[in-house]
Amino acid sequence: YKREEIEGQHWTITIPEDQYPVVEAADKRRTAGGSDRYELEILHRDGQRIPVQVSGSPLFENGDFMGTMAVFMDLTARRKQEKEQDAIVAVSRALRNAADREQMLPILLDQMENLLDANGAAIALREPESGETVIASACSAWAEWKGERLPAGVGVSGKVIESGEIYTSEDILNDPLFPRPELLGEMCSLICVPLIAHEETLGAMLLGRKHPFDESEIRIMTAIADMAANAIRRATLMETLEVRVRERTQELEDANEQLKELDRLKSSFVSNVSHELRTPITNVMLYLSLLQNPLKANKRDVYMGVLQNEANRLSRLIEDLLTLSRLDGDVESERKELHVMDALIAEVIDSQQARAEAKNILLRHELNPEVPAIMVNREQMIQVITNLMGNALSYTHPGGHVLLSSESVNSREEPHIAIKVYNNGPVIPSEDRAHLFERFFRGKTGRDSGEPGTGLGLAICKEIVEQHSGWLEVESDPELGTSFVIFLPFYEKNINPAVG
């Protein structure tokens, strides 16, 4: 107001109605002769309310109360400063109370939105791996933004993250940096502040509203953004640390379980080996004592035959154990060369043909010249084929037949060679199939046949084939017979196909 506009006017023209009781109480104090200070809100000529501090003193003449002398001090700047401090304290308290980043971001946005009378708020974070900008949290008019992703440097938030500088706009609807103005609704002003901690830009905080942001509000937002950035960094580091601790704990638990399983397998292996050795050694000791008995001289040849069988049994067991030891150490599998599988099959058939004829079993080989040579360890693959063919001959009745064949197949989405060893002998019970490749396991068919065995042959086959990046399958049906199938890759993953 100008002086001439206010002189002679009643005080009510400059005082909001809700402040009348404050002024009337002050008048009573003046009438009683009291002087004091109090806070009040007065009206600017344009209707804006201005906080002031009033220092009032009574005026007396000849002992009569004549009026009041008052000095008004504008508190607008102080109130803004107090508001800034209160806001920073409130946000700081909210950030401390948040358990993690997921809780922290919505609390931060809510505080900022209420403090600065915003219509929309969002926090965008830079994803370290891809560099993309991800809207990690958003509220009010921008709530649907959450989860949106933008390429690095794109949009207002991308520009702020790249530059590390504050960006403001009072006409965001026509701002080329904002590609989708329809998301803003009635908002026309926007401020975007970088979130920087330890010289690293983590992201940006955005606020939008209908009227512009003033310098004090930008100052508040900048101060809070600094606190928020440090809090987000700490929370991210803690979350990363917690994830690493959980992963490491899980790894240790898994390693502990593996050690327990290895210990169990070792104990089981030692127990099985002890059992397998004990039986032939017991028999050897028994029949050696019988040989020393002069009353049993007429059975000497029988006892010598038993001793020979038990010695052979011990020899097979020890040889199989040595083979498993070499496989566990992966000593032999590196020596691989190109070999045609039909040639190896033929070599094994030649060595087993006499045994097949002695049992009146037809042993056949179906040649397939279309099958290419592959990289294998010759001795190991001959051992696998020999073991499988030997089992087939052992469990096939006289008059039966054993067939070996090979073909190129696509299995597990890669080219492989399938080597099949088929026989029409007794079916393998379904309850035994799951255990066939376990060490020292002998199924019902093996036990009933009376054929000698250590229970290690199929385990050895499995180990060798797996070290060739392949696998074994078994099918057994009363009508179709029994087939063991070896699957081997045309080339191993670490070998160039052009070479292999």
Side-chain angles (χ1 to χ4, degrees):
Y1 288 96
K2 295 179 180 179
R3 178 176 177 174
E4 59 270 19
E5 291 177 326
I6 201 168
E7 280 185 347
Q9 300 293 326
H10 194 271
W11 58 264
T12 53
I13 71 166
T14 61
I15 307 295
E17 188 174 348
D18 63 344
Q19 300 290 297
Y20 289 177
V22 179
V23 177
E24 290 167 352
D27 280 346
K28 289 181 181 178
R29 295 194 299 275
R30 302 295 167 267
T31 303
S35 299
D36 59 17
R37 293 178 181 178
Y38 61 95
E39 291 186 3
L40 180 70
E41 287 187 350
I42 62 175
L43 288 173
H44 190 274
R45 187 176 184 180
D46 63 7
Q48 182 180 348
R49 296 167 75 109
I50 304 171
V52 295
Q53 183 185 73
V54 182
S55 299
S57 300
L59 295 175
F60 287 92
E61 186 175 326
N62 299 323
D64 295 327
F65 176 71
M66 302 300 292
T68 299
M69 182 178 68
V71 178
F72 293 77
M73 184 174 69
D74 190 348
L75 298 180
T76 302
R78 193 175 83 182
R79 288 284 179 84
K80 282 188 176 182
Q81 187 178 17
E82 290 173 351
K83 186 179 180 181
E84 292 177 13
Q85 292 173 347
D86 291 343
I88 291 172
V89 170
V91 172
S92 177
R93 184 183 302 114
L95 292 176
R96 284 199 306 270
N97 292 335
D100 51 32
R101 193 175 68 175
E102 196 68 25
Q103 288 186 10
M104 181 186 300
L105 300 185
I107 292 174
L108 179 61
L109 290 182
D110 184 62
Q111 291 283 340
M112 292 297 295
E113 193 175 47
N114 291 334
L115 175 66
L116 300 179
D117 191 29
N119 304 111
I123 289 179
L125 297 178
R126 185 179 67 85
E127 193 173 72
E129 293 79 10
S130 64
E132 291 182 321
T133 301
V134 181
I135 306 299
S137 188
C139 63
S140 298
W142 296 348
E144 64 183 36
W145 292 9
K146 184 176 180 180
E148 290 287 329
R149 305 175 75 90
L150 292 171
V154 173
V156 174
S157 57
K159 174 182 174 63
V160 169
I161 290 172
E162 277 198 347
S163 67
E165 297 178 356
I166 298 173
Y167 183 86
T168 60
S169 175
E170 295 182 7
D171 187 18
I172 194 66
L173 294 175
N174 297 311
D175 195 317
L177 281 179
F178 206 92
R180 298 179 62 189
E182 72 275 6
L183 297 176
L184 293 169
E186 297 180 357
M187 286 176 273
C188 60
S189 295
L190 178 140
I191 180 171
C192 185
V193 180
L195 298 171
I196 302 174
H198 292 259
E199 300 183 353
E200 178 187 4
T201 304
L202 306 177
M205 183 162 53
L206 303 92
L207 289 181
R209 70 183 186 190
K210 299 176 183 178
H211 53 281
F213 294 91
D214 61 30
E215 288 299 324
S216 65
E217 291 173 322
I218 295 175
R219 189 166 57 249
I220 291 173
M221 192 166 173
T222 303
I224 292 176
D226 288 341
M227 286 195 310
N230 283 288
I232 291 170
R233 181 177 182 273
R234 286 194 301 271
T236 302
L237 290 175
M238 287 300 297
E239 289 171 9
T240 303
L241 180 60
E242 288 173 0
V243 169
R244 288 179 179 174
V245 168
R246 285 197 298 270
E247 290 176 349
R248 185 57 179 157
T249 301
Q250 187 60 51
E251 289 174 2
L252 291 173
E253 289 177 356
D254 292 344
N256 187 45
E257 289 301 318
Q258 290 177 0
L259 289 174
K260 288 180 180 178
E261 178 63 14
L262 288 172
D263 187 62
R264 187 193 66 77
L265 291 173
K266 181 194 73 174
S267 299
S268 175
F269 183 77
V270 171
S271 176
N272 287 329
V273 170
S274 299
H275 173 76
E276 293 296 327
L277 288 172
R278 186 182 300 114
T279 302
I281 290 174
T282 300
N283 285 340
V284 167
M285 294 177 65
L286 172 63
Y287 281 92
L288 282 176
S289 65
L290 290 173
L291 279 174
Q292 295 173 354
N293 189 342
L295 299 177
K296 304 290 185 178
N298 58 330
K299 294 186 176 182
R300 180 182 179 86
D301 291 341
V302 175
Y303 296 159
M304 289 298 295
V306 172
L307 286 170
Q308 184 62 51
N309 290 336
E310 295 300 334
N312 292 338
R313 181 178 174 184
L314 280 171
S315 177
R316 285 194 301 271
L317 177 60
I318 292 170
E319 185 57 39
D320 286 347
L321 290 173
L322 290 174
T323 299
L324 282 173
S325 177
R326 288 194 295 270
L327 290 173
D328 287 340
D330 199 15
V331 174
E332 301 291 334
S333 60
E334 296 300 322
R335 299 203 298 267
K336 295 175 183 175
E337 298 174 338
L338 277 173
H339 287 281
V340 176
M341 297 313 296
D342 271 345
L344 299 185
I345 294 172
E347 185 176 337
V348 176
I349 284 181
D350 287 343
S351 68
Q352 298 290 320
Q353 190 65 52
R355 181 183 175 193
E357 291 174 357
K359 289 192 66 176
N360 191 27
I361 294 173
L362 177 62
L363 179 58
R364 293 192 303 120
H365 176 200
E366 287 188 355
L367 294 171
N368 187 352
E370 300 297 322
V371 176
I374 59 172
M375 296 291 290
V376 294
N377 180 296
R378 180 181 181 279
E379 288 73 20
Q380 287 185 342
M381 202 49 56
I382 284 179
Q383 183 174 4
V384 172
I385 298 170
T386 300
N387 282 356
L388 296 179
M389 187 189 301
N391 286 347
L393 292 173
S394 295
Y395 304 129
T396 302
H397 298 310
H401 62 276
V402 173
L403 174 65
L404 280 81
S405 61
S406 63
E407 61 178 334
S408 300
V409 297
N410 274 320
S411 187
R412 300 183 181 180
E413 300 182 354
E414 290 184 356
H416 285 77
I417 290 176
I419 305 161
K420 180 183 289 188
V421 179
Y422 165 83
N423 75 87
N424 64 345
V427 68
I428 300 173
S430 57
E431 61 270 19
D432 286 351
R433 289 174 209 163
H435 306 285
L436 285 177
F437 300 105
E438 295 177 3
R439 297 181 180 187
F440 295 106
F441 177 80
R442 295 203 73 198
K444 183 177 184 301
T445 304
R447 296 193 303 271
D448 293 347
S449 69
E451 291 284 342
T454 62
L456 295 174
L458 290 178
I460 290 172
C461 292
K462 177 176 179 292
E463 294 275 350
I464 291 174
V465 172
E466 288 181 350
Q467 288 189 6
H468 283 73
S469 303
W471 70 93
L472 273 166
E473 291 182 4
V474 60
E475 301 170 355
S476 191
D477 183 89
E479 296 181 2
L480 301 178
T482 298
S483 296
F484 281 81
V485 185
I486 308 165
F487 290 91
L488 297 172
F490 275 18
Y491 52 84
E492 293 189 76
K493 294 179 181 179
N494 60 342
I495 296 177
N496 189 324
V499 177

